[in-house]
Amino acid sequence: MERTLLLIKPDGLQRGLAGRILARFEDKGLQILALKVMRMTPELAGRHYAAHREKPFYKGLVSYMTSSPLVAAVLEGPRAVETTRRLMGATFGWKAEPGTIRGDFSNSTSYNLVHGSDSPESAEKEIALFFRPEEIAAYERTSDRWLISEDD
Ligand code: UDP
Ligand code: MG
């Protein structure tokens, strides 16, 4: 089992897409372990996007991510990091495949609705930035019996 951090970015919440976006991950069988609406501070944005600090789009990215509240979630499942990224689609909404969240709902370069951790290592770090351990609920889900086989 693997965990990942999902963010429904401010455009997703403002456009009323949070429920539909979250449903895609639930439909796929990923389990929601933690969920909250919060405002990203510039300090948190700096830590979360530290790898992009030197990029030309960094200033705009921080301004976008801190402009309005977002939804943060911890998702769990087999290969949760990769599965989440595949459901999200390519970074640029205008380039992302139809059928993906970005491909279906975004036609922008930067306003692309969702963030998902890019590796299990970044997932661990990012989850710790957004959630205290006691905010993450580990629980048995009866449907897992039919979602995951012993061969998975
Ligand atoms: N971004 C942007 N312009 C770019 C590249 C990225 O505005 O040329 C924004 C976009 O919102 C993206 C975020 O910066 O989601 C982080 O970029 P990254 O390359 O990590 O893409 P992601 O992992 O989100 O697909
Ligand atoms: Mg990234």
Side-chain angles (χ1 to χ4, degrees):
M1 278 298 170
E2 199 171 85
R3 290 179 182 186
T4 193
L5 179 81
L6 170 75
L7 301 178
I8 302 174
K9 295 179 175 184
D11 49 332
L13 198 51
Q14 285 283 348
R15 290 175 54 194
L17 293 171
R20 290 163 78 185
I21 290 173
L22 212 48
R24 300 249 179 153
F25 298 98
E26 283 195 298
D27 286 349
K28 189 72 173 172
L30 290 167
Q31 187 177 358
I32 300 168
L33 301 190
L35 187 65
K36 66 180 164 191
V37 176
M38 58 177 280
R39 184 99 176 214
M40 194 184 234
T41 61
E43 198 252 331
L44 178 56
R47 294 173 74 184
H48 179 68
Y49 283 123
H52 293 314
R53 201 161 284 162
E54 306 304 324
K55 306 269 174 65
F57 58 83
Y58 178 75
K59 208 166 158 244
L61 176 61
V62 172
S63 144
Y64 158 44
M65 293 298 291
T66 58
S67 61
S68 179
L70 49 73
V71 175
V74 177
L75 303 178
E76 186 177 81
R79 301 167 295 277
V81 167
E82 189 186 343
T83 300
T84 297
R85 300 273 305 185
R86 291 171 73 90
L87 290 180
M88 285 164 46
T91 301
F92 301 155
W94 53 270
K95 228 177 171 177
E97 284 289 314
T100 65
I101 293 163
R102 287 166 168 173
D104 285 353
F105 296 114
S106 162
N107 197 21
S108 164
T109 297
S110 41
Y111 287 7
N112 58 6
L113 298 165
V114 276
H115 165 85
S117 309
D118 63 10
S119 68
E121 295 71 39
S122 20
E124 204 182 318
K125 286 187 203 134
E126 291 177 0
I127 288 168
L129 286 179
F130 286 81
F131 292 96
R132 299 190 302 274
E134 63 271 24
E135 291 181 299
I136 303 169
Y139 57 98
E140 291 277 321
R141 206 176 43 163
T142 50
S143 54
D144 279 345
R145 159 90 179 72
W146 299 104
L147 283 162
I148 304 156
S149 98
E150 279 178 12
D151 299 332
D152 276 319

